[in-house]
Amino acid sequence: MLSECRVGNILDNSVETFTVTFEVGLYCEKQSLRDTIQSSMYLGSVLGLVVMNLASDRYGRKRALLVSMTIAVTGWTTIAMGAFCKVTWPLLVGQILQGFGAYPCFTISYIVLADLFSDRLRQLGLLTVNAAWGLG
């Protein structure tokens, strides 16, 4: 069954799928809200990179890495709750938290590897971090 949105897009309801966009209803008239939610992760990443890199210099790299991992997991959990409850505000908050926590994890892990290992092991460690980040 195809249904047409007011803005001219066509939504196919005949295929049973589970996506956050479909479950929460972020299509047709709410497409701008979906775009805002998706781009809010980058706002969180900019803030997180600045704050967490300063915190890693002041309070220690390992502590900042653990805090940023905790914030990222909290963001992912908030997104899952928003999708499960079909509410949009947890998606926005979760995306900001995910960006705030996940991007600094990548940067701080580079810094920790550079601080702890020699040149030969550092290259292998950075390759491993890049592969893990790329594979998800």
Side-chain angles (χ1 to χ4, degrees):
M1 173 179 189
L2 297 176
S3 60
E4 190 170 334
C5 299
R6 281 192 246 160
V7 292
N9 297 332
I10 296 177
L11 177 67
D12 185 3
N13 292 333
S14 63
V15 179
E16 190 173 322
T17 59
F18 176 82
T19 64
V20 174
T21 301
F22 185 76
E23 288 297 314
V24 180
L26 295 175
Y27 49 86
C28 296
E29 294 84 20
K30 293 185 178 180
Q31 188 168 352
S32 63
L33 179 59
R34 182 191 72 193
D35 296 339
T36 301
I37 289 171
Q38 288 175 339
S39 62
S40 67
M41 182 177 67
Y42 298 109
L43 172 67
S45 70
V46 169
L47 296 173
L49 285 169
V50 171
V51 171
M52 295 310 293
N53 285 331
L54 291 173
S56 74
D57 289 339
R58 176 171 251 190
Y59 301 110
R61 311 241 191 266
K62 291 178 188 174
R63 187 177 294 165
L65 186 60
L66 288 174
V67 168
S68 63
M69 284 182 193
T70 303
I71 292 171
V73 169
T74 303
W76 296 325
T77 305
T78 307
I79 291 169
M81 288 187 326
F84 181 73
C85 298
K86 300 180 182 181
V87 181
T88 57
W89 70 264
L91 299 176
L92 180 66
V93 171
Q95 286 283 82
I96 292 171
L97 288 174
Q98 180 182 0
F100 193 94
Y103 283 91
C105 284
F106 187 63
T107 305
I108 296 171
S109 65
Y110 267 178
I111 297 169
V112 168
L113 285 171
D115 288 347
L116 294 179
F117 297 111
S118 66
D119 288 338
R120 181 169 158 73
L121 289 175
R122 185 180 309 148
Q123 291 174 353
L124 181 62
L126 294 177
L127 179 67
T128 304
V129 169
N130 275 331
W133 185 264
L135 295 174

